[in-house]
Amino acid sequence: MAERYDCIIIGGGPAGLGASLYASRDRFRTLILEKFYPGGQINTTDRIENYPAFDNISGPDLIEKMVHQVTQFGTEIKTSAEVTALKRLDDGNIQVLTEEETFTARAAILAPGSTYRKLGVPGEEKFRRAGTGVSYCGTCDAPFFKDRRVVTVGGGNTAVEDTLHLTKFAREVILVHRRQEFRASRVLVEELMAKVNESGSNLKLRLDSVVTAIQGEGKVERTIVKNVKTGQETAIDCDGVFVFVGMVPNTDFVKGFVDLSEHGYMKCDPAYLRTKVPGVFVAGDCRVGAAMQLVTAVADGVNAVMWMKQYFRDPNWWNEGIKDELAPGGW
Amino acid sequence: MAERYDCIIIGGGPAGLGASLYASRDRFRTLILEKFYPGGQINTTDRIENYPAFDNISGPDLIEKMVHQVTQFGTEIKTSAEVTALKRLDDGNIQVLTEEETFTARAAILAPGSTYRKLGVPGEEKFRRAGTGVSYCGTCDAPFFKDRRVVTVGGGNTAVEDTLHLTKFAREVILVHRRQEFRASRVLVEELMAKVNESGSNLKLRLDSVVTAIQGEGKVERTIVKNVKTGQETAIDCDGVFVFVGMVPNTDFVKGFVDLSEHGYMKCDPAYLRTKVPGVFVAGDCRVGAAMQLVTAVADGVNAVMWMKQYFRDPNWWNEGIKDELAPGGW
């Protein structure tokens, strides 16, 4: 017989933990199903200074605080529990299947987050095994490249942040970016340029350039870089390649259950985070329109629970529009 | 000549502080105009256990951390600065007027929050002066009613929480609520009922009842309570009345500038928090559809800034719909 919960949260990252805090504090029987272990992507960040009220905290430390807080209120967390399918039953309950178990709940909150985007070039998969040279996480793997030469790829916040981080370890860092302009925030780009312009800097830029191959015998020895304006290819000798080119939403398992956008993000109404399936909400980086920030993911989880309570009070609300007297904090 | 900012945030509560962290960390010249002093309503809360990653913190302590964090990044905060009017100039800038000064900015984020709702009964205004007996904040004023008898009014989370808080101080607390059922979360209602059912409890309930008048000579001496089912009125001798019946959005100053809902909440599109005025966003408890929670208000501020950056990149985006490639955290 399937175990029955009030609320099953799929994904134990910031969105799922935010949701579970509110759900379990409200005495709803709450289960988090997490594919690996709690935290998700944020575990790979060693310095967070934009979570309001913390000047500076590491990802693992922040997650530890959140996990402690939610388990105090009774949230159950199952790790290594990968969800394979979901189904809405005739009685309105949501059935959630993992490889080994089946659960049901009155509502589900989908918060699977995103994973690293790949370059898709020859050599990338081959050298992904730990220690052979391709990495997607600067803060995780930088210490392995002490006094080595590394190539980094990307132009967003993570690319710039992690490239700067790597300069503290590597002998030399070459940042490859396909455009002249960076998408990273201004403060980060300024910090990057200041570092590049230091006398004797160990940081160099290769702009208007893309990586076309990663090569070596048994481990990374060089990267082939192509200038997109001239078409010219050059080899850069290096010991590692760090790929920082964004995220892909972890939404394969819900294909056909909820609607996905062209890029694979879950569609929902942005006011209430409802999918097309009554009782199924989304929260965090996996949804269309997510701001992709730590505190906005956490708040998505909280919002989903506030509206889940509205759904429990009145299931017919699912297809209704905004009414401001619905504001759940009203009297 | 008016001072020119990138971003003016109206209101220095959690939403405004969340916005200012992101705006100033991105090196936008950022000003908070705050009517009183930073924090808003949350300053009146002495125990917060639902801000993710803090097991337990007081409102003032949390606000102090947030203020410290945002001023480190260069946010300017003007206190006692009440905004009287806003205007969009022909060049697209937003002009913001206080009694004494005029500011302009490329964008404005309206985060004025909400204030306590009044009962609107005879005696309420008269006894509002500190110390004469009517209060809207249990955690602020409970110590003044040590060993006294107080009436509390309301049925939401704040009413139940603050009523329980008052039982630690007052000799007797009588909670008046107009219905049988409470809107407060289950865990709180359970705690309330446990307290009521303690042997020799100092907490009593008057359900299906409303306060019709607050009376006394120079200070509160009694409350008139009417049973809404029988119509019968009775007097309860007491030294104070705590009114916990919800919030009213602080939106009078934007009437005619942005659209308001029937209940005075600012209308916006829930995906991007845009008002009808290009360059003017809303965040927090003042908007239609707000979840009225601390972390959701903070995240509203962050979201508004993420979309403000999109507006700066492309002002024409203002009237466009959702496109998932717009997600600002992408590469």
Side-chain angles (χ1 to χ4, degrees):
Chain A
M1 170 74 204
E3 285 202 72
R4 165 70 140 64
Y5 291 84
D6 293 306
C7 176
I8 292 178
I9 297 160
I10 297 167
L17 292 169
S20 73
L21 172 61
Y22 268 65
S24 59
R25 190 160 182 268
D26 244 1
R27 297 270 165 93
F28 292 113
R29 197 181 167 206
T30 302
L31 172 68
I32 292 178
L33 295 172
E34 164 55 47
K35 188 161 61 166
F36 302 117
Y37 47 89
Q41 300 279 354
I42 205 70
N43 275 323
T44 66
T45 303
D46 74 350
R47 180 182 150 203
I48 298 165
E49 55 180 32
N50 63 4
Y51 187 74
F54 284 97
D55 274 4
N56 189 350
I57 188 167
S58 76
D61 285 352
L62 188 71
I63 292 301
E64 192 185 331
K65 285 177 189 291
M66 289 184 181
V67 168
H68 176 258
Q69 189 178 17
V70 306
T71 48
Q72 270 187 320
F73 288 111
T75 294
E76 293 173 52
I77 302 180
K78 282 192 196 279
T79 54
S80 304
E82 180 166 6
V83 172
T84 53
L86 289 103
K87 192 179 167 184
R88 186 168 197 267
L89 303 176
D90 290 341
D91 63 6
N93 283 313
I94 310 299
Q95 190 179 64
V96 182
L97 281 79
T98 66
E99 286 285 333
E100 282 147 21
E101 291 177 276
T102 299
F103 307 91
T104 60
R106 297 163 67 200
I109 297 172
L110 310 177
S114 302
T115 45
Y116 301 114
R117 188 185 297 277
K118 310 294 180 297
L119 291 175
V121 300
E124 187 180 17
E125 276 302 314
K126 182 176 158 196
F127 296 116
R128 253 200 96 177
R129 268 186 305 111
T132 62
V134 173
S135 170
Y136 299 85
C137 176
T139 51
C140 310
D141 297 335
F144 301 132
F145 292 87
K146 200 161 181 319
D147 300 326
R148 305 291 182 87
R149 196 163 188 247
V150 300
V151 165
T152 63
V153 190
N157 283 337
T158 304
V160 173
E161 273 169 354
D162 283 17
T163 296
L164 285 165
H165 182 69
L166 276 159
T167 63
K168 299 178 206 161
F169 297 87
R171 186 176 78 248
E172 189 172 17
V173 180
I174 301 105
L175 171 57
V176 176
H177 177 45
R178 60 180 178 165
R179 297 200 185 86
Q180 282 284 335
E181 307 77 38
F182 289 89
R183 283 191 64 152
S185 66
R186 235 187 284 184
V187 56
L188 285 170
V189 176
E190 285 169 15
E191 203 181 329
L192 182 79
M193 297 316 296
K195 181 72 190 169
V196 168
N197 293 325
E198 272 177 12
S199 122
S201 177
N202 68 340
L203 174 59
K204 297 191 168 42
L205 303 183
R206 282 281 189 109
L207 302 180
D208 290 329
S209 297
V210 296
V211 168
T212 55
I214 301 168
Q215 300 175 345
E217 300 294 325
K219 64 177 206 57
V220 170
E221 294 173 358
R222 81 195 69 81
T223 301
I224 309 301
V225 171
K226 179 174 151 184
N227 184 302
V228 295
K229 298 234 159 125
T230 65
Q232 196 185 347
E233 286 197 334
T234 50
I236 300 175
D237 287 343
C238 64
D239 307 293
V241 179
F242 282 79
V243 179
F244 306 127
V245 296
M247 317 293 284
V248 180
N250 300 325
T251 54
D252 275 352
F253 73 105
V254 292
K255 258 182 200 161
F257 179 64
V258 300
D259 288 336
L260 301 182
S261 76
E262 185 191 341
H263 293 83
Y265 291 89
M266 295 190 209
K267 290 187 181 179
C268 64
D269 75 80
Y272 303 120
L273 306 179
R274 298 176 294 201
T275 66
K276 71 172 182 184
V277 183
V280 179
F281 295 84
V282 300
D285 294 0
C286 63
R287 73 169 174 94
V288 168
M292 302 281 181
Q293 300 301 308
L294 175 53
V295 72
T296 60
V298 170
D300 256 21
V302 172
N303 271 314
V305 170
M306 297 305 283
W307 299 115
M308 178 185 80
K309 287 158 65 177
Q310 179 61 30
Y311 168 68
F312 286 166
R313 283 191 289 265
D314 175 16
N316 293 323
W317 159 85
W318 199 263
N319 296 310
E320 290 175 11
I322 289 178
K323 291 182 190 167
D324 69 353
E325 64 270 31
L326 277 181
W331 65 311
Chain B
M1 167 80 203
E3 285 202 73
R4 165 70 141 63
Y5 290 85
D6 294 306
C7 175
I8 293 177
I9 297 159
I10 297 167
L17 291 169
S20 74
L21 173 61
Y22 268 65
S24 60
R25 190 161 180 266
D26 245 2
R27 294 273 165 92
F28 292 113
R29 198 180 168 209
T30 303
L31 173 68
I32 291 177
L33 295 173
E34 164 56 46
K35 189 161 57 165
F36 302 117
Y37 48 89
Q41 300 279 355
I42 204 71
N43 275 324
T44 63
T45 302
D46 74 349
R47 179 183 151 203
I48 299 166
E49 55 180 33
N50 62 3
Y51 186 74
F54 283 97
D55 273 5
N56 189 349
I57 189 169
S58 76
D61 284 352
L62 188 71
I63 291 301
E64 191 185 333
K65 284 176 188 292
M66 290 185 179
V67 168
H68 176 259
Q69 189 177 17
V70 306
T71 49
Q72 270 187 319
F73 288 111
T75 294
E76 294 172 50
I77 303 179
K78 281 191 198 280
T79 54
S80 304
E82 180 166 5
V83 172
T84 52
L86 289 103
K87 192 177 166 186
R88 187 170 195 264
L89 303 177
D90 291 341
D91 63 5
N93 283 313
I94 309 300
Q95 190 178 64
V96 183
L97 281 77
T98 65
E99 286 284 332
E100 281 146 24
E101 290 176 279
T102 299
F103 308 92
T104 60
R106 298 163 66 200
I109 297 172
L110 310 178
S114 302
T115 43
Y116 301 115
R117 189 186 296 276
K118 310 294 179 298
L119 290 176
V121 300
E124 185 180 21
E125 277 303 313
K126 180 175 159 197
F127 295 116
R128 252 199 98 177
R129 268 185 307 112
T132 61
V134 173
S135 170
Y136 298 85
C137 176
T139 52
C140 311
D141 298 333
F144 300 130
F145 292 86
K146 198 161 184 318
D147 300 326
R148 305 291 182 88
R149 195 163 192 247
V150 299
V151 165
T152 63
V153 189
N157 284 336
T158 304
V160 173
E161 272 169 353
D162 283 15
T163 295
L164 285 164
H165 182 69
L166 276 159
T167 62
K168 299 177 206 161
F169 297 85
R171 187 175 78 247
E172 188 171 19
V173 181
I174 301 106
L175 172 56
V176 176
H177 178 44
R178 60 180 178 163
R179 297 202 186 84
Q180 281 285 334
E181 307 78 35
F182 289 89
R183 282 191 64 150
S185 65
R186 232 187 287 184
V187 56
L188 285 170
V189 176
E190 285 168 17
E191 204 180 328
L192 181 80
M193 296 316 297
K195 181 72 190 170
V196 168
N197 293 325
E198 272 177 11
S199 120
S201 177
N202 66 340
L203 174 59
K204 298 192 168 43
L205 303 182
R206 281 283 188 110
L207 302 180
D208 291 325
S209 297
V210 295
V211 168
T212 55
I214 300 168
Q215 301 175 345
E217 301 293 326
K219 63 177 207 59
V220 171
E221 293 174 357
R222 80 194 72 81
T223 300
I224 309 301
V225 172
K226 178 174 152 183
N227 185 303
V228 294
K229 298 236 160 123
T230 64
Q232 194 185 346
E233 287 197 332
T234 50
I236 300 176
D237 288 342
C238 64
D239 306 291
V241 179
F242 283 77
V243 179
F244 306 126
V245 295
M247 317 293 285
V248 180
N250 299 324
T251 53
D252 275 352
F253 73 106
V254 293
K255 258 182 200 161
F257 180 65
V258 300
D259 288 336
L260 302 182
S261 74
E262 184 191 343
H263 293 83
Y265 291 90
M266 295 190 210
K267 290 187 180 178
C268 64
D269 76 79
Y272 303 119
L273 307 179
R274 297 177 295 201
T275 66
K276 69 173 182 185
V277 183
V280 179
F281 296 84
V282 300
D285 294 0
C286 62
R287 74 169 175 93
V288 169
M292 302 279 182
Q293 299 302 306
L294 175 52
V295 73
T296 60
V298 170
D300 256 20
V302 172
N303 271 315
V305 169
M306 297 306 282
W307 299 116
M308 179 185 78
K309 288 159 65 176
Q310 178 62 29
Y311 168 68
F312 287 165
R313 283 191 290 267
D314 175 16
N316 293 322
W317 159 83
W318 200 263
N319 296 310
E320 290 173 12
I322 289 179
K323 291 182 187 167
D324 70 351
E325 64 270 34
L326 277 182
W331 66 312

